[in-house]
Amino acid sequence: MITEPFDAVDVIRTKRDRLELSAGQIDWVIDAYTRGVVAEEQMSALAMAIFLNGMHRSEIQRWTQAMIQSGERLDYTSLGIPTADKHSTGGVGDKITLPLAPLVAAFGVAVPQLSGRGLGHTGGTLDKMEAIPGWRAALSNEEVRAQLASVGAVVCAAGPGLAPADKKLYALRDVTSTVDCIPLIASSIMSKKIAEGTGALVLDVKVGSGAFMKKLDQARELARTMVDLGTDAGVTTVALVTDMATPLGLTAGNGLEVRESVEVLAGGGPADVVDLTVALATEMLAAAGRPAGADDVRAALADGRAMDKWRAMISAQGGDPDAPLPVARATEQILAPADGVLGRLDAYGVGVAAWRLGAGRARKEDPVQLAAGIELHAKPGDPVTAGQPLMTLHTDTPERFPRAYEALDGAWELAAPGTVVTRGPVVIDRII
């Protein structure tokens, strides 16, 4: 019988009483929870105590390291080329990973992009990629390494060996209303990103109605905390705080977003998607030690280099880059009721509507419709005429339309003709 060096009740009491957890307490509680020694109700109490009382930087750093140590830590130094990754905190229409990974790889930086699935109104990269016929998300560590060596980029699911403590704790936080907690958010994200072995990391911390962080000061605090965690772990880390008040691009939904991503890789696509892709790629290349100017990065989108990497990446994972993407069985349009200017388009409302059409899931085990989602025909500031389509709703199950319309009620506004609507920059702040 193992004699445990600490007691869960004492650890909970420490944080309940607003005291600082010791390194030993943190190491033990994460390990013991992973082993099943600390019960779910005990970790629930500790998570709530952290939610209410916060953590010091040293505590967050140790908590993150303990979660990393609960599993394996990958290492790609033997590849002989620099590695860089990007993590987004999630938004509506956020398909940036798709064009970004092959774009960065085109400059000789390997991109081990371990991604996740969507939950609620925010989309997941793996769900989008699975709209491509034949493409597979599950790769072994050996397959990831081989693809990085041959292609330079991989987008896949994280293996079960990476930070298993985080996987268990995340599920608990989801059902105990302790998700919205900066120390736990930051340690959750960074434990996986550090464990995956990348040498450089660029964080896209979104703020606005469609983001997890609604207020700019919260987003900046989360970005600062994650940058510090990465730096403390020896990973070159930078964060961009980006706007998520309005959906990114002109699509929200899995197959629809793949189509738009391919347009970006072909040298076209919406300006905001292109601008953010270029900004993040420029940061990733600089962090990896191979700086390239934004003009050079844009050129790689225009001349086909990024597209070549995309096609190689998709093919390497069993996908057919030339196969047609899924098309929804039913569509309906929302039309402009009068002449005017689109004054507002709320990201959260659009995200919930896409989710209700079948593009997202309420529980992790729910299936998604690969063709469902929303196609936008105007963004704030665009003039529209009476009867012009503002958006097209896509779904395989038409009975979903009424609930989607409910989500969009009040999510957009039409201003008088000639109204000037100022669009802010997509990148709001940079934190290093």
Side-chain angles (χ1 to χ4, degrees):
M1 181 177 178
I2 298 175
T3 301
E4 300 292 339
F6 295 93
D7 182 88
V9 175
D10 291 336
V11 176
I12 296 165
R13 184 184 298 114
T14 299
K15 186 47 65 177
R16 183 202 67 184
D17 293 344
R18 301 183 179 181
L19 301 175
E20 188 170 346
L21 296 173
S22 70
Q25 285 177 313
I26 291 171
D27 291 347
W28 175 80
V29 79
I30 294 295
D31 175 64
Y33 177 57
T34 306
R35 291 186 283 118
V37 172
V38 171
E40 294 290 333
E41 60 268 25
Q42 292 175 315
M43 186 55 90
S44 296
L46 180 58
M48 185 60 74
I50 292 169
F51 179 92
L52 294 173
N53 296 326
M55 282 179 137
H56 296 288
R57 174 174 173 175
S58 59
E59 290 178 286
I60 303 172
Q61 192 270 343
R62 191 71 180 212
W63 188 276
T64 304
Q65 287 299 320
M67 292 204 294
I68 293 169
Q69 290 166 10
S70 72
E72 61 185 337
R73 183 167 181 175
L74 305 179
D75 185 353
Y76 296 117
T77 54
S78 63
L79 291 174
I81 55 175
T83 53
D85 188 14
K86 183 270 299 184
H87 178 81
S88 167
T89 56
V92 179
D94 182 12
K95 70 278 296 175
I96 299 299
T97 291
L98 279 65
L100 180 64
L103 175 59
V104 172
F107 287 86
V109 173
V111 184
Q113 185 73 53
L114 305 186
S115 301
R117 301 191 181 279
L119 192 63
H121 77 280
T122 60
T125 297
L126 299 182
D127 298 321
K128 304 180 206 297
M129 297 291 285
E130 284 179 342
I132 302 168
W135 184 89
R136 63 188 181 99
L139 300 180
S140 68
N141 291 344
E142 292 72 24
E143 287 174 315
V144 170
R145 184 180 299 277
Q147 187 168 322
L148 287 175
S150 62
V151 177
V154 60
V155 177
C156 66
L162 283 183
D166 175 67
K167 184 176 182 180
K168 190 174 180 181
L169 180 58
Y170 188 90
L172 182 74
R173 289 166 54 213
D174 198 38
V175 298
T176 56
S177 194
T178 53
V179 171
D180 188 9
C181 173
I182 285 177
L184 296 179
I185 296 168
S187 58
S188 174
I189 291 170
M190 296 303 293
S191 63
K192 295 190 291 285
K193 288 299 172 182
I194 295 168
E196 80 176 23
T198 187
L201 176 64
V202 177
L203 301 161
D204 180 0
V205 180
K206 298 199 174 295
V207 62
S209 72
F212 198 67
M213 294 292 160
K214 311 296 183 186
K215 297 180 180 179
L216 186 55
D217 59 344
Q218 290 179 321
R220 285 187 170 126
E221 182 184 351
L222 176 60
R224 175 81 272 152
T225 302
M226 292 196 293
V227 168
D228 288 345
L229 286 172
T231 301
D232 289 347
V235 178
T236 303
T237 309
V238 62
L240 298 183
V241 179
T242 68
D243 177 61
M244 187 36 69
T246 297
L248 192 57
L250 295 171
T251 57
N254 303 305
L256 295 171
E257 294 188 47
V258 174
R259 185 192 70 193
E260 187 169 275
S261 299
V262 172
E263 291 171 359
V264 171
L265 287 161
D272 57 350
V273 177
V274 174
D275 289 347
L276 185 52
T277 301
V278 169
L280 289 166
T282 303
E283 293 286 355
M284 288 172 71
L285 292 171
R290 294 198 176 172
D295 289 343
D296 295 332
V297 174
R298 288 181 187 274
L301 288 173
D303 64 19
R305 279 178 286 162
M307 179 67 86
D308 289 344
K309 286 290 184 183
W310 164 263
R311 294 177 63 84
M313 183 179 77
I314 298 303
S315 298
Q317 290 174 242
D320 181 355
D322 296 314
L325 294 166
V327 176
R329 296 191 185 99
T331 60
E332 290 190 7
Q333 291 187 324
I334 294 178
L335 308 179
D339 293 351
V341 173
L342 187 60
R344 185 177 68 89
L345 183 62
D346 180 64
Y348 180 72
V350 173
V352 171
W355 169 24
R356 291 180 176 177
L357 289 168
R361 54 172 63 83
R363 300 174 303 167
K364 290 184 179 180
E365 60 270 22
D366 291 345
V368 297
Q369 294 183 20
L370 297 176
I374 296 180
E375 186 178 5
L376 305 173
H377 304 294
K379 295 286 283 280
D382 291 345
V384 298
T385 57
Q388 174 185 331
L390 296 178
M391 57 189 85
T392 301
L393 281 59
H394 300 247
T395 186
D396 291 332
T397 45
E399 59 269 23
R400 292 175 177 265
F401 282 128
R403 289 273 288 150
Y405 284 124
E406 288 177 12
L408 292 167
D409 185 25
W412 60 275
E413 293 177 357
L414 203 61
T419 301
V420 177
V421 178
T422 303
R423 296 186 192 177
V426 65
V427 178
I428 298 170
D429 201 359
R430 179 177 184 266
I431 295 175
I432 57 173

